Amino acid sequence: MTPAEKYINTIKNKKVAFVGMGVANTPCAAFLARHGVEVYACDKRDKEYIGQEICKELEELGVKFSLGDNYLDILPEMDIVFRSHGILPFQNSWIGECISRSQKVTTEMEVFFEYCPCKLIAVTGSNGKTTTTTLIAKMLEREGNKVYLGGNIGKALMPELDTITQNDIAVVELSSFQLLTMGNLINKPDVAVVTNIESTHLDHHISLDEYVDAKRNILIYQNQSQRTVLNADCDYSIGSTVYHDMRYDVRGQYYEFSIKHPVKNGAFVNEKGIICFSENGKVTEIMDKNDIVIPGEHNVENYCTAISAVWGSVSIDTIKEIAKTFGGVEHRIEFVREYKGVRYYNDSIATSPSRVISGLKAFGEKIIVIMGGSDKGNDMSEMAPYILKYVKLLILNGATADKIYDTVINSEGYNESGLKIVKVETLKEAVEVAENEAQSGDIVSLCPACPAFDQFKTFEYRGREFKRLVNSFGE
């Protein structure tokens, strides 16, 4: 019996609703419908927004739709409700109402973790988790493993229960939204990684404490034989109470990583710039950090994180090969093209000041930056000194243009910086300004500091539009 069949047997003759038809719930609704489950798709948006072809495919599988302003009216009739990962329990009263009616409210990731039969490596953190998750998967695949990569990285994994076996490896990126209600992780995951913790997503979580506590769920259910990987350079005690320091909550074997100093167990960069691994008093040199082809110290850190997660399961040759050939994840300082001597990079994922800082420092010179988007409540002041140091032309667009502008011009050193700032309405206008102002030898980076929701569905849509605009130069 497959893991999928085991789960389907527990929900026979149940009515199942998916609330929020996005990248996770849509394939999961199809998955359950194919197994004969009575499925309802609920969304405030219409079929045009969800996608006519997607809706047609679901309807052919027998999925029924509840859309528009009254899309939640169907819920009292349901037995099981899957919330979209972005729909948080304490901000949506209907979730509490479902629970009060004794309906089960869950997510696709909770089901996957419960029924996944193989080794699980889970990665979370405020920054770096997607690149780290991808690196881990690539290293394990290069060693000949069948790897299932998904989660917050953009792929639902519950449908993979049809094919996944105990000999495979699941590598999963988890957001705070996914982890918030994941209390079914007994003896899971086999490897838990927390890249770092910073103050972010405060526009969605009711408090910083809730955000940090959600992240803690990734490691507090592990056992002593499993591995926990934390950042030796990070303060995990942000929040109002000291117990949030995750180092006190480690249940598994404790590994660290650092780009600043040696660690007892884990990967680090030594004084010569060599990435090493230390374990039980033995230090092994792996490679020069300059062998990593994707730019930036934050990517050196991502490699140290990934190495700490997979050490013992992959060879040094594999680690070095991936470092020299992996060109980066889409929308993360992704090279787009060179046009008239100007190099263009898509860093649309940089939706927080800390990501912006990493993105600006990666090039080691003054560049042209396109910035702005929707406001998620971040304090922009922490990135202002780096803008003054690493940016020569700042092109602002979108809902936060004025907020960023005011922060920068009121920062110490602005008058002496020589920074030029241009404000426009849209990303299209920003790209046009960049093309007109850039000279041969310049670097232009889309490094927004903000989410994309003022102009686009997601940061991916924004990044792809940026690439389309840049690739259209000269047509």
Side-chain angles (χ1 to χ4, degrees), residues 127-365:
N127 298 309
K129 54 185 178 290
T130 297
T131 298
T132 298
T133 305
T134 304
L135 287 172
I136 290 169
K138 286 188 172 295
M139 291 176 185
L140 291 168
E141 284 175 338
R142 183 65 184 83
E143 289 287 330
N145 297 288
K146 178 67 178 295
V147 175
Y148 286 80
L149 173 65
N152 191 59
I153 204 166
K155 179 180 173 61
L157 286 175
M158 191 170 84
E160 305 297 344
L161 293 175
D162 270 328
T163 57
I164 196 168
T165 73
Q166 63 182 4
N167 298 319
D168 303 323
I169 302 176
V171 182
V172 184
E173 177 188 329
L174 296 174
S175 70
S176 59
F177 305 151
Q178 291 167 309
L179 282 164
L180 187 60
T181 55
M182 290 183 71
N184 62 331
L185 307 185
I186 305 303
N187 295 325
K188 291 182 179 180
D190 297 279
V191 180
V193 179
V194 186
T195 59
N196 47 60
I197 291 288
E198 295 180 359
S199 178
T200 189
H201 288 306
L202 300 187
D203 56 332
H204 284 82
H205 288 283
I206 60 175
S207 68
L208 179 59
D209 288 354
E210 180 189 272
Y211 171 70
V212 177
D213 280 342
K215 297 292 190 185
R216 290 172 66 249
N217 278 344
I218 200 171
L219 57 87
I220 60 176
Y221 300 103
Q222 288 184 292
N223 62 46
Q224 292 180 345
S225 68
Q226 294 168 330
R227 181 180 300 190
T228 307
V229 178
L230 297 181
N231 187 341
D233 304 330
C234 176
D235 179 8
Y236 286 97
S237 61
I238 62 172
S240 64
T241 52
V242 72
Y243 82 90
H244 283 298
D245 190 328
M246 293 182 186
R247 293 175 180 86
Y248 295 107
D249 297 306
V250 172
R251 308 290 195 266
Q253 300 173 8
Y254 183 31
Y255 285 73
E256 292 181 293
F257 60 91
S258 173
I259 60 172
K260 297 179 179 179
H261 56 79
V263 297
K264 182 178 180 181
N265 289 300
F268 67 94
V269 181
N270 69 13
E271 68 280 359
K272 297 178 181 178
I274 304 298
I275 297 177
C276 306
F277 194 88
S278 175
E279 189 170 38
N280 300 322
K282 180 183 178 182
V283 176
T284 304
E285 291 190 353
I286 301 173
M287 63 183 178
D288 191 305
K289 69 176 186 177
N290 293 323
D291 288 342
I292 299 171
V293 297
I294 49 177
E297 282 294 299
H298 64 294
N299 280 314
V300 177
E301 188 172 57
N302 291 335
Y303 268 89
C304 288
T305 316
I307 291 167
S308 298
V310 302
W311 189 259
S313 297
V314 304
S315 68
I316 291 177
D317 286 344
T318 288
I319 295 170
K320 293 168 72 173
E321 180 181 339
I322 298 299
K324 293 177 179 179
T325 58
F326 175 59
V329 180
E330 188 180 19
H331 311 301
R332 291 154 178 83
I333 319 185
E334 174 196 9
F335 177 68
V336 180
R337 72 179 293 197
E338 183 173 325
Y339 179 72
K340 293 184 177 180
V342 179
R343 287 177 290 154
Y344 291 84
Y345 289 85
N346 166 28
D347 198 14
S348 185
I349 186 64
T351 59
S352 67
S354 59
R355 283 189 179 272
V356 170
I357 292 169
S358 296
L360 298 182
K361 291 167 65 177
F363 298 102
E365 61 181 275

Side-chain angles (χ1 to χ4, degrees), residues 18-30 82-85 107-108 156:
F18 287 85
V19 179
M21 301 310 295
V23 295
N25 276 355
T26 299
C28 291
F82 281 80
R83 67 172 177 89
S84 171
H85 292 126
T107 67
E108 70 97 6

Side-chain angles (χ1 to χ4, degrees), residues 12-61:
K12 281 183 177 178
N13 303 317
K14 303 287 187 182
K15 292 183 178 180
V16 179
F18 287 85
V19 179
M21 301 310 295
V23 295
N25 276 355
T26 299
C28 291
F31 161 69
L32 292 189
R34 281 195 297 270
H35 280 278
V37 178
E38 186 175 352
V39 176
Y40 294 77
C42 308
D43 203 301
K44 191 171 185 178
R45 302 166 299 185
D46 59 20
K47 290 183 180 179
E48 186 68 31
Y49 188 95
I50 297 169
Q52 292 286 1
E53 285 299 313
I54 293 173
C55 293
K56 181 181 178 182
E57 291 173 11
L58 291 174
E59 287 176 324
E60 289 175 350
L61 289 169

